[in-house]
Every structure is written in C-alpha cells, then in structure tokens.
Amino acid sequence: MAESWANEIWKIVKKWDYFTKDTMGKQIVRSADSVCANMAEGRGRYNDQDNRRFVKIARGSLYETVNWLRLANARQLITSEEVSKFKPIVDKILPKLNAYLNSIGHRE
C-alpha cells in the first residue's frame, strides 16, 4: 500500500517544472519512498528494537509526506481532489503501521 502511494506521488511530481521538482519535489518523493523503504529495512534487521526504530522512522516519513502534500496544495501544485484521493490511503497506512509497531516482539 505504501509503495503504490509513493508511486502515485512520483507520477504527480514528474509533471512539475524543474524548480519545483528540484526543491519540493525531491523532498516529497523522498519522504513518500521512505515510508516503505524503512519498513523493509526494519524488517530485515536482526532484532526487534531495530525493527521498531525503523517503523517509527517510516511513520515520521508518512507524516512528513502529508505535510508536503498540504504545502503542494497550498502552492497550487496539486489540487484539493488529489489531496483528498490520498487521505483514505494515509488513513489506512497509519493504523497498519501502528499495529505493526505494536506487534513487533509479540510474534510467536
């Protein structure tokens, strides 16, 4: 889910002009990509403490991406409809991240 969300953001940013891509675009793509990348990296770690740390970083990246989406909307780079399209996805990813975080160390 986080990967497809990041890919949708990528498609939008690709259409921006050079200045916008170079400043804001790189930031939003990196933060969106960081959600799934940190989940994967944490999963591959040796211990639960490291895994939890990476999931928390992923959660922070999710919040950062939401912030960039709000800024992009305020700067008229994306429409309110595009932002609204992402809200249900964020509303699904965040509880899943939190549930995964709470489950680490409690697996049988």
Side-chain angles (χ1 to χ4, degrees):
M1 188 180 309
E3 282 182 21
S4 67
W5 181 60
N7 287 333
E8 288 302 313
I9 290 170
W10 171 268
K11 289 176 191 173
I12 290 170
V13 171
K14 275 181 60 172
K15 298 174 188 172
W16 293 352
D17 64 61
Y18 175 77
F19 174 78
T20 308
K21 280 194 267 192
D22 190 49
T23 55
M24 194 173 194
K26 287 179 180 179
Q27 294 287 339
I28 193 171
V29 167
R30 284 180 183 142
S31 64
D33 287 350
S34 178
V35 176
C36 48
N38 276 291
M39 288 171 47
E41 187 168 356
R43 183 74 176 137
R45 290 298 171 141
Y46 177 72
N47 61 48
D48 290 336
Q49 182 179 355
D50 275 351
N51 192 359
R52 277 192 290 276
R53 184 171 66 84
F54 279 95
V55 173
K56 288 176 183 177
I57 293 169
R59 186 173 56 189
S61 294
L62 179 68
Y63 284 119
E64 179 185 356
T65 307
V66 168
N67 178 70
W68 284 118
L69 289 170
R70 281 195 306 267
L71 285 171
N73 178 249
R75 296 173 186 177
Q76 300 177 339
L77 299 167
I78 59 175
T79 65
S80 296
E81 291 78 28
E82 288 172 311
V83 173
S84 296
K85 182 177 95 173
F86 291 128
K87 186 177 180 346
I89 298 168
V90 172
D91 289 346
K92 288 180 184 176
I93 294 173
L94 185 58
K96 288 182 181 292
L97 270 175
N98 288 330
Y100 179 55
L101 183 62
N102 290 331
S103 75
I104 297 170
H106 302 303
R107 291 173 263 152
E108 295 182 21

